[in-house]
Amino acid sequence: MGRLTSSNGSQAILSVRNITLRFGGLVALDGVSFDVPTGRILGLIGPNGAGKTTMFNAITRLYRPQSGEIWFGTTNILALAPHEVPRLGISRTFQNLALFPSMTVRDNIRVGLHARTKADVFSQALRLPWVGREERRTEETVDEVIDYLGLRPFERHPAAGLPFGTLKRIELARALVARPKLLLLDEPAGGLNHEEVSALGALIRDIRERYDVTILLVEHHMGLVMSISDRVVVLDFGKKIAEGTPDEVRRDPEVIRAYLGVGE
Amino acid sequence: MTEFIQLVLAGTANGCIYGLLALALVLIYRSTHIINFGQGEMAMFSTYICWSFLNAGMGYWLAVPLTLILAFAAGIAVQRVLIRPVQNAPELTIVIVTLGLYLFFNSLALWIYSGVPKPFPLPTGIRQASWQVGDIFIIPYHLFIFAVLITLMAALYLLFQRTKLGLGLRAAAAQPASSRLVGINVNWMLALGWGIAAAAGAIAGILSAPVVQLEPNFMATILIFSFASATLGGFDSPPGAVVGGIAIGNIVALGGRYIEFIGTQLDIVLALVVIVTVLLIRPAGLFGRQVVQRV
Amino acid sequence: MELLRSLDYRRNWFLPLLVVAGLVWLSARWVDYGAIPAVGDLIEPFAGMAALLSILAIATVVAAYLLRPVLDRGPQAERALRWVGYGLIVAFFAFMPLYVELIPHASMLKMTVAIQFMIVIVGLNLLTGFGGQISLGQGAFFAIGGYTLAIGFREWDLPWGWSLLIAPLIAGVLGFLIGIPALRFKGPYLALATLSLAVTITPLAKKFEEFTGGVQGVVMFGKLGVPFWQDNLDRFFYYTTALIALLVFILAANLRRGRFGRALVAIRDNEVAASAMGVNVALYKMTAFGIAGAFAGLAGALNGVVIQFVSPDQYSVLLSIRFLVGAVIGGIATINGAIIGGLFQQFVPDVTVSINKSAPDAIQAIILIVVMYTMRYGVAGFLQETWRYARSGLRLRKPGAGVTVVETVVVVEEEVVIVRQDGGGAG
């Protein structure tokens, strides 16, 4: 058995249907389907190489799956260009940090609002009044996020050279500033120590409440995933092997076999 | 048909020269991922050095090896002194430094030797008159150029594939970090690469000087054709560079004759067309390895 | 090599440099440097430039010291001071006729051409400095501007004012379109592809003789009417150019500090991440090419108006190289660098050409390489660093000033290009 089908009543904000993605001969994702229920935290877990980050890259259109569909509400994400995805209200962070090292922390976060602002090149060159108003709104939104995540001391500092934990927070701020409907977090606990991880768990829950956002979480840290996720999807070798509440998944024999003792 | 064959012969001879300079570009690109915009001007300056030797009464077969040794040493010096400090700098910085080399050698030659074209002799022992085979005229010097190219390719093949030094050179180019771990002096290997490239470039300059006149800008056009050759053959493939060179030589010779619009003035446009087409259709070139990038 | 690398602004090398330059200048009365073989003629110009640079740097430090009371009042004061600085620069160019004769080697005409260079370089700053797209082809757009003017004049008697409007449009659209193939090229490949574009323009202009006048070019001497100051054309064209340049600088600064500029830098830093933030990478790169092309085209048309002559040999590859060199020496990632770059490209060749007619390029080459080692962000970047260094030094000396951030922190307003090797994409 082992396969638990999703249906817990609430509407799905994101539906992944039969996604298959190959790199040459290597099948990275093999017919994966799952739903991300609105307003919930969904954990996506699996051993190394299971295809978690690949799934993220497919959702944000950095990769193009060979077959399958990804629906965000009524929009088919696979029909979009990568830069159009954030405009739907999808933000993400990266596993290996993808900040803009030469820009200041503040500018990094400002770029996060790119998809939410409109100033075109001509209006901006002439700095038409509405562009000025838009910039002021940008500043307010950025200020709010900077204060929320405690980045004020670093705001004028270039991103390069800051400690790892701070960089992770900057990435989170850059994703949050766009007020996304769906937030994709790729290994937010990677590289953090024990206390930082528990603080992160609280932060992620708080973000969900405060910004009213649905969260899809890829994470290695089993303790974190199991404690904050409403539902969990387990991938192994590109296939979905289980889905359910954390408790259901923890007891699933397939999952136990896949992890073979790994876990906490 | 006769004319066609004649054009192909001339195009191939020119192409060999493009191929040689392209080879120099490729040797440097392969090891350091730098496109040396100063390569042609370094070759031009070497050719002037050779001219100075000849002018001082030295024999051709003494002056040329001497020049090559100097060019080799100069290539090493340029890498050690100028390039190494910016090896890890952003691409723009490196491009600018090699442009500095371009400007420097170009203006230095103009300064020392003036812009007046200098006659450059054919190698001693190569006769001026051509052989006639049927309707086709074969110019001995063209055969000489071809022979030099083949010899050089063979020598480089032996150096890279059959000697320990060559192994070190290839290792340093492919995996600098691991090479360092196994005790290869990567910095010197890269410098040697520049030396070999400078010598190859010098050969290209010396070979083409008797055909076109020796003046400070004579390598500028050849450099563009060589860029096109290296792009066509693939910037990381030495044989590709040579094949690309011969192909470009023929494209230019035939295109200039049979495409009326191009004529002799716009042959450079052909180079541009080739560069852009190749980079659009097959960026790695004919013989280059396609690098699959994972995001 | 260690010596060269240790010549770092952090060790205040501009002071000893000034001393050396001063010694050279003083001793020139007794020592005939020109008699030294090979390099003799170069010593004095180099000493002069070194002295100028050191004086600028020292003036920066002194200014940082003197203005301390104002600056410590906070960011508003700093901003106000920056506007004062801009005001001074504008005033310097606005009152040029009053003292242009006092500046060695300068004239209204040369200043006009220098400002035209600045217009091109501002475009390059956006494209290469912020966008990270190396272009060696700006000379081609400059030529397109020049020929828009020349062909309009020759074929249709088009007033040159119209050409100034049309030239940037044509060059901009062409730049935008050339951005399409350029999307496929990265780093040195892009430099190579744009270089071959620059090489192509001269033979093309010679080829289409019936429009371009071929090698003879198009002569417009005395045929371009001006509405006033007919007796002082140099002044008229100077102010025309300067006003247009002011406009271009304002446009560029607006672009730089808003959404567009941030997106460009984001693309330069990390294309994948930029795209994940919703930046249409292809469109932005093409737009940057278009803007840089439009600026170059505008400057080219202005240049044709001022020189009143357009011929293919004005637009050699060297011109394109000079634009990039000027941009880099001035400071590629700062808009102010364009001013320094333009002045440098006009006056350094002019001063050094008396040594030998090929000396300017040789000297530029040496300066270029030295600048790349000692101040990677050009003169403007160097002065900015000096300023910040002086500011933080002064601040640190003050006890209890409450500087909590690590002392190596350099507060960056106009950001600095960070070394980035390939990779860095998301896993």
Side-chain angles (χ1 to χ4, degrees), chain C residues 79-322:
Chain C
R79 212 168 300 142
L81 216 67
R82 197 174 315 140
W83 279 104
V84 173
Y86 294 149
L88 286 176
I89 294 172
V90 171
F92 173 75
F93 285 102
F95 297 111
M96 187 59 70
L98 299 179
Y99 40 74
V100 68
E101 266 117 52
L102 301 177
I103 307 172
H105 293 275
S107 71
M108 291 306 276
L109 180 64
K110 285 175 186 169
M111 277 294 174
T112 312
V113 177
I115 295 175
Q116 288 158 1
F117 265 72
M118 292 174 201
I119 297 176
V120 180
I121 293 174
V122 166
L124 261 180
N125 276 331
L126 285 174
L127 177 64
T128 307
F130 300 124
Q133 310 296 305
I134 305 174
S135 171
L136 277 168
Q138 292 314 102
F141 299 106
F142 196 76
I144 288 168
Y147 274 109
T148 305
L149 172 80
I151 294 170
F153 170 81
R154 233 174 86 116
E155 303 289 317
W156 303 292
D157 270 325
L158 194 69
W160 58 269
W162 283 105
S163 298
L164 288 189
L165 284 177
I166 298 168
L169 285 180
I170 296 179
V173 170
L174 285 175
F176 187 78
L177 294 179
I178 278 164
I180 299 175
L183 293 174
R184 303 290 294 266
F185 313 147
K186 285 214 159 60
Y189 281 109
L190 185 58
L192 162 58
T194 49
L195 178 75
S196 32
L197 179 70
V199 174
T200 315
I201 206 79
T202 305
L204 270 183
K206 286 181 181 163
K207 177 79 184 179
F208 291 100
E209 221 167 327
E210 53 274 40
F211 301 106
T212 63
V215 187
Q216 267 75 44
V218 179
V219 184
M220 294 168 279
F221 288 118
K223 293 182 188 147
L224 301 176
V226 301
F228 50 91
W229 286 344
Q230 281 91 350
D231 53 336
N232 197 340
L233 282 180
D234 278 356
R235 180 185 294 175
F236 179 83
F237 287 136
Y238 172 82
Y239 279 110
T240 312
T241 305
L243 274 177
I244 292 175
L246 184 64
L247 183 72
V248 165
F249 269 81
I250 292 172
L251 294 182
N254 282 345
L255 286 175
R256 161 68 193 94
R257 68 196 172 113
R259 181 174 181 259
F260 179 79
R262 290 194 296 267
L264 271 191
V265 181
I267 290 172
R268 183 191 73 194
D269 274 11
N270 190 336
E271 240 173 67
V272 173
S275 163
M277 294 304 123
V279 178
N280 186 340
V281 174
L283 181 69
Y284 272 69
K285 279 187 183 175
M286 287 163 67
T287 309
F289 267 100
I291 293 170
F295 286 178
L298 176 64
L302 269 171
N303 189 260
V305 170
V306 172
I307 310 284
Q308 312 203 345
F309 174 57
V310 169
S311 81
D313 292 317
Q314 289 170 349
Y315 309 111
S316 71
V317 199
L318 280 180
L319 183 69
S320 293
I321 296 181
R322 282 194 187 114

Side-chain angles (χ1 to χ4, degrees), chain A residues 53 82-83 86-87 94 96 98 100-104 107 110 114-115 117 119 121 124-125 127 135 156-157 174, chain C residues 251 254-255 257-260 262 268-270 273 275-280 284 409 411-413 415-416 418 426-427:
Chain A
T53 295
H83 68 265
R87 284 180 206 161
F94 290 84
N96 304 324
F100 309 113
S102 73
M103 300 173 96
T104 63
D107 269 344
R110 280 173 178 146
H114 189 91
T117 45
V121 70
Q124 203 199 313
R127 207 160 176 94
E135 280 284 308
R156 300 203 341 145
H157 191 290
R174 189 179 66 178
Chain C
L251 294 182
N254 282 345
L255 286 175
R257 68 196 172 113
R259 181 174 181 259
F260 179 79
R262 290 194 296 267
R268 183 191 73 194
D269 274 11
N270 190 336
S275 163
M277 294 304 123
V279 178
N280 186 340
Y284 272 69
V409 166
V411 176
V412 177
E413 191 72 37
E415 85 300 320
V416 154
I418 300 280

